[in-house]
């Protein structure tokens, strides 16, 4: 039904299924901690993986480097030009890692849509594609990430909110073969549980809302979004 499999987000989930790479948010926390991780050292490790010609790296290697990149991301705050530039550099390294290990990228974007799309295009992220997780941008941006970046658009609880006009427009606009559903649990619980802790089972409410908006059956939405997830993650 959507991005419900394991991922490389800070190493919180096991790699017992095909993983995917979790991208930066392009915003984060205390600037005085920015040097706790060495960008150059991470760059050396990424270069070593990229130049290994005999085989792909093991999942544990991918996970560790992705975790380190994510940790660096979480120490950054884009309050100055220098810090913003470092965030963008780390983002580019994550895209490079995804391309090297041939895994789709999951984008968690907050208030940085144009920067995010520009960098994905510059780094040719369409080679591996991915998901715009908890998508909150316009139908026009959805067209760009689908048609130019080979990404899927994933919708969660906000599509069920009464006054959430844009997510509903996106739900009706995106081609069904490029749509996924999710919960983002424990956050963004759908109506009528808005404001409460979210649970994975509530993805059914998201699917039902999309079915209603598109004049489809719930079963049709479930079938198509499941097929989309299987295609993206090569689960067949």
């Amino acid at each position: 039904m959507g991005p419900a499999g394991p991922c490389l987000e800070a190493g919180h989930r096991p790699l017992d299924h095909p993983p995917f790479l979790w991208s930066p948010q392009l915003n984060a926390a205390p600037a005085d901690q920015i040097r706790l991780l060495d960008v150059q050292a991470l760059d050396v490790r990424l270069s070593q993986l990229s130049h290994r010609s005999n085989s792909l790296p093991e999942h544990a290697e991918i996970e560790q480097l992705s975790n380190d990149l994510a940790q660096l991301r979480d120490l950054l705050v884009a309050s100055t030009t220098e810090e913003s530039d470092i965030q963008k550099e780390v983002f580019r390294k994550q895209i490079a890692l995804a391309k090297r290990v041939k895994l789709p990228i999951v984008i968690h974007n907050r208030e940085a849509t144009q920067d995010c799309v520009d960098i994905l295009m510059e780094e040719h992220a369409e080679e591996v594609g991915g998901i715009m997780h908890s998508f909150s941008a316009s139908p026009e941006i959805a067209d760009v990430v689908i048609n130019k970046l080979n990404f899927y658009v994933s919708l969660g609880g906000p599509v069920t909110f009464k006054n959430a006009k844009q997510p509903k427009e996106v739900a009706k606009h995106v081609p069904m073969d490029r749509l996924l559903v999710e919960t983002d649990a424990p956050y963004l619980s759908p109506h009528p549980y808005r404001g409460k802790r979210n649970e994975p089972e509530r993805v059914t409410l998201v699917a039902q809302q999309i079915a209603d908006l598109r004049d489809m059956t719930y079963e049709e939405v479930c079938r198509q979004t499941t097929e989309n997830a299987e295609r993206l993650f090569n689960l067949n």
Side-chain angles (χ1 to χ4, degrees):
M1 287 187 288
C7 68
L8 298 189
E9 178 191 9
H12 291 164
R13 305 179 192 176
L15 289 172
D16 53 356
H17 296 287
F20 50 82
L21 289 180
W22 190 262
S23 73
Q25 296 183 158
L26 295 184
N27 61 4
D32 59 357
Q33 300 177 1
I34 199 169
R35 301 300 176 191
L36 289 181
L37 285 176
D38 186 343
V39 177
Q40 291 183 334
L42 290 171
D43 198 33
V44 169
R45 291 166 57 199
L46 177 59
S47 179
Q48 290 171 343
L49 287 180
S50 298
H51 288 90
R52 184 182 301 176
S53 58
N54 57 338
S55 64
L56 289 176
E58 296 294 326
H59 278 171
E61 291 181 279
I62 303 170
E63 181 179 21
Q64 184 59 56
L65 181 53
S66 182
N67 290 346
D68 289 348
L69 286 166
Q71 186 179 352
L72 177 60
R73 168 204 75 200
D74 290 339
L75 295 176
L76 303 177
V77 55
S79 59
T80 70
T81 299
E82 179 185 6
E83 290 157 357
S84 177
D85 288 345
I86 295 173
Q87 284 191 310
K88 292 173 183 178
E89 179 184 355
V90 172
F91 188 16
R92 293 180 192 277
K93 294 183 190 306
Q94 289 182 297
I95 297 169
L97 176 59
K99 289 167 63 177
R100 165 57 189 152
V101 298
K102 298 180 174 60
L103 294 175
I105 307 166
V106 176
I107 300 293
H108 187 176
N109 163 51
R110 287 185 182 176
E111 302 175 9
T113 299
Q114 196 57 57
D115 278 346
C116 187
V117 169
D118 288 347
I119 292 172
L120 287 168
M121 295 184 69
E122 290 167 8
E123 298 299 321
H124 295 287
E126 72 277 1
E127 293 178 17
V128 291
I131 299 173
M132 299 303 287
H133 151 71
S134 195
F135 188 79
S136 60
S138 67
E140 290 75 21
I141 293 294
D143 286 340
V144 172
V145 300
I146 291 169
N147 297 324
K148 295 187 177 181
L149 288 169
N150 191 29
F151 269 63
Y152 290 74
V153 167
S154 186
L155 297 176
V159 76
T160 70
F161 298 166
K162 182 178 179 180
N163 296 321
K165 180 181 178 181
Q166 189 160 267
K168 295 180 190 299
E169 291 176 348
V170 169
K172 292 185 287 186
H173 178 79
V174 170
M176 274 306 300
D177 65 354
R178 283 285 165 168
L179 188 63
L180 296 170
V181 294
E182 62 174 278
T183 61
D184 200 25
Y187 310 108
L188 298 176
S189 200
H191 178 79
Y193 302 100
R194 186 175 183 178
K196 299 181 180 179
R197 177 185 173 86
N198 203 358
E199 301 292 344
E201 66 183 359
R202 293 179 186 160
V203 72
T204 58
L205 298 174
V206 176
Q208 184 62 65
Q209 177 67 70
I210 292 172
D212 292 344
L213 289 167
R214 299 185 69 114
D215 195 24
M216 298 173 63
T217 67
Y218 169 79
E219 289 76 16
E220 287 173 327
V221 171
C222 290
R223 178 187 57 76
Q224 182 65 66
T225 54
T226 297
E227 289 179 2
N228 295 344
E230 290 173 344
R231 184 186 320 115
L232 173 64
F233 296 118
N234 196 27
L235 298 180
N236 290 326

